[in-house]
Every structure is written in structure tokens, then in C-alpha cells.
Amino acid sequence: MSNNLFDLIVIGAGPAGYVCAIRASQLGMKVACVDKNPDLGGTCLNVGCIPSKALLHSSFLYHQTKDLLASHGIRAEKLSFDLKTFMARKDKVVQDLTRGVGFLFKKHEVTAFTGEAYITSPQTVEVKKARGRKETLQAKSIVVATGSMPVVLPDLEVDEKQVVTSTGALSLSKVPEHLMIVGGGYIGLEIGSVWRRLGAKVTVIEMLETLVPLMDQELAQVLYRHLLKQGVEFKLGAKVESVRRRKDQRLTVRVKTLKNGAPQPHTCDVLMVAAGRKPLTQGLGLEEIGVAYEQGGQIQVDSQYATSVPGIYAIGDVIAGPMLAHKGEEEGIALAELLAGQQGHVNYAAIPSVVYTHPEVASVGQTEEQLKEQGIAYKKGRFPFSANPRAKAVGDTEGFVKILSHAGHDQILGVHIIAPDAGSLIAEAVVAMEFGATAEDLARTCHAHPSLNEAVKEAALDACGRVLHR
């Protein structure tokens, strides 16, 4: 048993879990990490963030060559793509990164266990391994970082071939003739973009009247218009009433508009369910030892990630907050430092979010809608990429930067960008907000010319009432 005695056991080897395990080991703890999948990295690396970005990039290169490069004088004759190569490249990227986590575990002396974890006491975890074998681990502290799973519609049988979640949609063997997607959030829009670029008809069904409802709505409307131009069809304010498998191997999907009208039948060959995700906490023994939950199904934790049971902690998608890999990573680092007696902390007001469509949409902080709802007086600075020299030179001028700062003390409250590479551009705003910067601070920061980042500076100048290049 001495070999199975640890300072910390982390259940889940996704971004929250493996980062927590590595940081705890760096701080001198003896750490074990348990995951049922031998391929480490969790949903993000295996069937989520990483494979989707690989396919998004491959499909964009095809779309760019086919539809966008002619304006630069570049013409491709007899252009085609090989989906098998797309998928093989995606799988190689995933394989390299999951092996990378294993390498990091060895480097930092984190002991990995493959199997299903079950918490039998606040200090004991039983690992159910292959062929019925079991192994018992003990530790002073246990961290639950098991992530999330897709929300599946009631009475809808998912086979990951014809009725799919994001997992199946990232591994289709051929381009669907018609892909219907339930859900107009990040996941649905990104995967829909992949298959639309490759020739599929794509229809997104969303119950609300807007896409990505937590996004600043000025950006959401611009993104909606751009996706329409790209050929994505939308049925907003609508829901799926029923799905029937046909003899010709297609699906009949009955869609009802919520405001009026009877359900209308639509035919597709693949239906993707992207109606959100929920915490994955079943089968861990949490209820049996008395761990409390929030009403939404998340594990209840205090400001130091402690659950209602002493010695049991939780981070990542299983607790409240946005289900983002980088949010989980920051919580993993903070918790490891807290357990080591340090001052771990996560600034939840400065966590960026990105939609990796084209153009990308990136946000940090509060939206205009949230500021208005709270009655906070604010200033707004806005600058379009159509007036940015680098964007002009590249030939990609879609989008703008919007900065919201406090009307009184000018501290930046939110930054929202829709543009090529917005996911990289937002990092400057996150750093600024971490240091409590004002719009004036950003406006007075020298930016390289010509660069896309100059649009951030100009938006800050606009918030201060002295934009230069518009």
C-alpha cells in the first residue's frame, strides 16, 4: 500500500486535472492522476478543442484556396481535397498532444492510473481496471476534475454515425449532403463551419432568437450575418420536435418554430446534437460520501474549491462557471497552490472566450447587455478592421474591436473582437484587465505598425474620445 499512498489524487486527466497534477508535483507533492482513458488529455485533447481546431484549419485552407485567393492573383486549377488525409492529420495532432501529456507526467513524476475511479472515503479512491482488477489509492486530498459530457435530447438515440454529438461529427467518413445541428453555440457553429466549407448544406436550429446568447449581441449579430454569407442556414426560435430514421438511411427531422406554426419536416443525412454540456459526475461515489451539488448539477465548492466533504475538492467543468479548458487549467493551478499553502487565485472577470469560426469572435469581461442590466455607466470605443492597414494589406478586413470602460474611472470592463485571429488579439486585453488597466493605458501603449493589434489601440483611443484613423 505504501506505493499507493499519495499527497494528492486527481480524478480526470483533462486540462483542469492534468495541469493541477503537474503543478502540485512542482510544489513537492506526491501525485496520482486517474483517468478511464489511456489517451490522456480529456475531452479537449481527444474529441474536443484540439481535433476541432485541426479540422477548422484544414477546411479553412481549402476554402481560402477555393474562394479567397483569386483576389491576390492566386488561382488553383482542379482543386480538390482528401477527407481521409484531413482526418489522419487531425488524429496525428491529437496523438502527439496526448502523448505529450504522458511525457509531462513522467517528467514531473506524476503517477498515472488508467481505470474508473470510485471514491470510497474522503481519503481513498478505488480504481477499477481492465479485466475486473482493482487498485486502491490513498491520499490526504482528492480532486474531482472529470469534465463534462454532451447534453442529449430526450428519446434521441445517438449512434455517433448518423445522430452524433461533437465526437461523431469530428470523425465522419464522408461529407454529409445535409448536416442539421441542434444548438447555435460555440461547438455547433465551429463544426458547422468545417462541413459547410467542404460542401455540406448546414442548417443550425437554435431555440433562442440569437446565436451564442452570452456573447455581446452586437458581435453575435455580425457573426450571424457572416455565417449566412458563407451559406450556413439558420432556424432561430425553433426546436426539434421529433427525429425519425428512414428506410433510405436518411433522417426526417420535424422542426417547430416556437412563435407559431406546426412542426415542419426536414430531411438530412446527419443530425448533430450540440445543445450544451453537463458536468460528468456520475459513478464516482460522490453522493454516497455526502458531496453537495448546485441546482444545475455542478458540484458545490467554496472559494478554495473545497466541497462539502473535507478533503474532497473540485475544479473545471464539474463546478460553476464557463466550461472552458483554460478556465479549468487556471483553477487547477490555483488549487494546487492553495493545497501547498500558497495564495492561489483565479480572476473570473478576466477569462477570455473564443469562437473559432471565420471571422473569429473573442471576448473578455462584461458585455454591453450586462453593463446595462447592472446599471453601470460606461464608455464605448469601436474601431473597424476595414480601417486597419495590416488587415487591408492581408485582404481580410471583416470585423471590429469594441472596448467598454467605466464612465468614471475608465477601468476596462470588457473587450469584444470579431476578426481574423481574434483569439490571439484578445490576449492583450486579458493582460490589461489583469493589471486593472484603463482605456487610457491601452491608448497610450505603443503598438507595432502595421499590425492587427493597432485596432485595439484605436478602439481604446475611441473610448477616450480621440480616435486617430477613423
Side-chain angles (χ1 to χ4, degrees), residues 286-300:
L286 297 174
E287 295 85 353
E288 288 78 0
I289 63 172
V291 170
Y293 289 84
E294 304 282 0
Q295 285 189 344
Q298 303 95 339
I299 296 174
Q300 189 180 100

Side-chain angles (χ1 to χ4, degrees), residues 55-285:
L55 289 181
L56 276 162
H57 188 64
S58 295
S59 65
F60 180 72
L61 290 177
Y62 173 73
H63 162 64
Q64 185 181 47
T65 307
K66 176 173 172 283
D67 300 321
L68 305 178
L69 293 187
S71 65
H72 293 265
I74 301 171
R75 293 177 177 82
E77 303 296 334
K78 298 181 180 179
L79 184 66
S80 64
F81 66 89
D82 182 354
L83 186 59
K84 287 185 178 179
T85 302
F86 275 27
M87 292 298 176
R89 179 185 175 277
K90 177 257 298 181
D91 293 341
K92 178 66 164 53
V93 170
V94 169
Q95 184 183 68
D96 288 349
L97 289 172
T98 56
R99 286 178 177 175
V101 177
F103 166 78
L104 291 173
F105 273 7
K106 289 179 181 178
K107 176 182 176 181
H108 294 283
E109 299 182 338
V110 174
T111 305
F113 291 87
T114 300
E116 296 184 8
Y118 188 87
I119 303 172
T120 55
S121 81
Q123 288 80 40
T124 308
V125 174
E126 184 179 83
V127 181
K128 300 176 184 177
K129 306 175 84 171
R131 295 184 293 275
R133 293 180 297 135
K134 295 180 181 180
E135 193 162 5
T136 301
L137 315 179
Q138 290 186 337
K140 299 173 187 176
S141 304
I142 297 170
V143 178
V144 179
T146 44
S148 59
M149 61 185 294
V151 173
V152 180
L153 301 178
D155 304 320
L156 189 61
E157 182 183 350
V158 173
D159 59 10
E160 296 296 11
K161 295 185 182 299
Q162 193 172 23
V163 179
V164 302
T165 64
S166 56
T167 300
L170 291 169
S171 298
L172 296 176
S173 59
K174 64 179 181 178
V175 177
E177 181 180 330
H178 186 189
L179 170 66
M180 297 192 77
I181 299 173
V182 182
Y186 294 25
I187 297 172
L189 298 181
E190 290 180 2
I191 296 179
S193 292
V194 168
W195 294 110
R196 177 69 197 107
R197 292 167 184 168
L198 299 182
K201 176 182 178 181
V202 174
T203 304
V204 176
I205 305 163
E206 169 58 50
M207 287 189 66
L208 300 176
E209 295 288 348
T210 182
L211 302 178
V212 198
L214 296 181
M215 182 188 294
D216 186 281
Q217 286 304 294
E218 185 179 1
L219 275 74
Q221 288 301 314
V222 174
L223 176 62
Y224 172 70
R225 292 196 295 270
H226 279 300
L227 293 175
L228 279 176
K229 289 179 184 177
Q230 293 167 25
V232 179
E233 298 179 0
F234 292 94
K235 295 187 180 301
L236 302 180
K239 68 175 184 177
V240 173
E241 285 279 290
S242 65
V243 179
R244 181 174 61 84
R245 298 178 189 271
R246 297 162 34 136
K247 292 182 180 179
D248 62 359
Q249 305 304 309
R250 305 196 80 199
L251 300 170
T252 296
V253 181
R254 293 175 63 81
V255 180
K256 180 179 180 180
T257 301
L258 300 182
K259 285 185 177 179
N260 54 16
Q264 297 295 316
H266 299 268
T267 302
C268 68
D269 42 341
V270 178
L271 176 68
M272 175 184 168
V273 182
R277 299 182 66 85
K278 61 182 180 181
L280 181 56
T281 57
Q282 296 79 17
L284 296 173

